[in-house]
Amino acid sequence: MTAARLNIGISACFLHADPQRQVFNGKTLLYLEESLSHWVMSQGAAAFLIPSPPRRAPLAVEDLLAPLDGLVLPGGVDVAPTNYGETPLHPDWAGDPVRDAYEIALLRACMAQGKPVLGVCRGVQLLNVALGGTLYQDIPTQVTAAHRHRDRDVYEHNFHTIAFEPGAGLARLYPGVRNAKINSVHHQAIKTLGKNLAVEARCVEDGVIEAVRLQGDTYAFGVQWHPEFHDPRDASLLDGAPILQEFLDAAMVARGAKT
Ligand code: MN
């Protein structure tokens, strides 16, 4: 018997009102990067972009999440340092507090509904900050002898090696694998861990945290790389399919628990 199709929500990226823009001049756009949505749908789940709720409306983020089985927090702009008790060290690193507030509300509502959360890049940072953790605002500035975690010229073709924490969930997901090659498109990283989060992978070159998992009954897991950008024809890269499968399995379990 085929299991009922899972419905997975993806939080939106924001393009705020821009008077220079020709299309939708002065309007806020909510958007989704295509390959993330395709990756989420690659095992048969349906993906949906979750809009921000209007300020005065007879519905809330809880209502938007109600028909969904899980939440993916995608990549994008910096998390605002003001959300983890710091001031921006540079004007370019001020982040987007509007998107942060929208995604933190979604994340909290999703966890309260007992539905799983998967964070990708900015998504893992957002998860960490929502649970009280802090970030490095800029790896090259704040991490001594850091590896190059972002290269604008080659973008997702910038790679490094991660080491799995022995015995943790990620290591169990890839039996026999200790190290893996992944892409790296980030300049922020987790500094101090949020409540009940445990590290599951670090960059081999500099120890930067690359994956964390919430300890406890609610499924929340995040990776600092972009599994959706990995070329499936390149066997040297970590296959992201087991990560997605585990998240979707958790969504199916959560759906079963609800009915
Ligand atoms: Mn990295």
Side-chain angles (χ1 to χ4, degrees):
M1 196 177 77
T2 308
R5 192 176 296 286
L6 289 167
N7 297 320
I8 302 299
I10 304 176
S11 55
C13 305
F14 282 63
L15 270 181
H16 294 291
D18 177 0
Q20 303 302 317
R21 198 164 53 223
Q22 296 292 315
V23 177
F24 290 116
N25 183 323
K27 306 299 182 191
T28 298
L29 302 182
L30 304 176
Y31 70 100
L32 171 65
E33 189 281 317
E34 187 180 48
S35 59
L36 178 73
S37 67
H38 288 183
W39 183 66
V40 169
M41 293 187 281
S42 65
Q43 295 180 21
F48 298 91
L49 181 68
I50 308 173
S52 56
R55 206 168 294 166
R56 275 187 289 276
L59 89 175
V61 288
E62 288 80 1
D63 302 305
L64 295 171
L65 281 164
L68 302 174
D69 299 301
L71 170 67
V72 174
L73 299 167
V77 295
D78 288 0
V79 176
T82 47
N83 280 323
Y84 48 93
E86 296 187 9
T87 52
L89 298 173
H90 187 284
D92 290 347
W93 305 336
D96 182 351
V98 173
R99 179 173 170 188
D100 291 356
Y102 148 81
E103 283 189 308
I104 289 170
L106 273 178
L107 170 62
R108 294 206 170 123
C110 190
M111 291 174 69
Q113 291 180 15
K115 295 171 182 175
V117 177
L118 177 62
V120 171
C121 199
R122 166 192 159 88
V124 71
Q125 297 165 0
L126 198 281
L127 173 67
N128 187 59
V129 168
L131 295 172
T134 64
L135 304 178
Y136 293 113
Q137 294 185 32
D138 182 60
I139 295 169
T141 306
Q142 296 182 286
V143 178
T144 311
H147 182 75
R148 192 174 178 84
H149 286 269
R150 184 171 70 177
D151 183 329
R152 289 179 189 280
D153 294 331
V154 299
Y155 206 65
E156 80 265 33
H157 300 290
N158 181 48
F159 302 107
H160 64 71
T161 305
I162 53 171
F164 295 162
E165 288 292 314
L170 200 53
R172 288 199 299 275
L173 208 49
Y174 294 90
V177 179
R178 303 274 320 249
N179 296 329
K181 184 176 152 190
I182 47 87
N183 62 26
S184 191
V185 197
H186 60 111
H187 87 112
Q188 293 191 307
I190 292 173
K191 185 163 64 178
T192 58
L193 282 171
K195 191 165 181 243
N196 295 332
L197 288 177
V199 176
E200 296 212 337
R202 289 179 184 271
C203 174
V204 166
E205 285 85 354
D206 57 17
V208 160
I209 294 170
E210 294 274 340
V212 298
R213 185 186 301 268
L214 182 67
Q215 307 301 291
D217 293 336
T218 305
Y219 184 97
F221 179 67
V223 296
Q224 187 59 74
W225 67 96
H226 287 267
E228 75 277 20
F229 291 163
H230 278 178
D231 182 349
R233 295 164 301 181
D234 186 345
S236 75
L237 298 174
L238 185 70
D239 178 11
I243 291 170
L244 178 63
Q245 172 135 34
E246 183 188 65
F247 165 70
L248 295 175
D249 286 349
M252 195 58 84
V253 168
R255 173 189 273 189
K258 204 173 50 179
T259 51

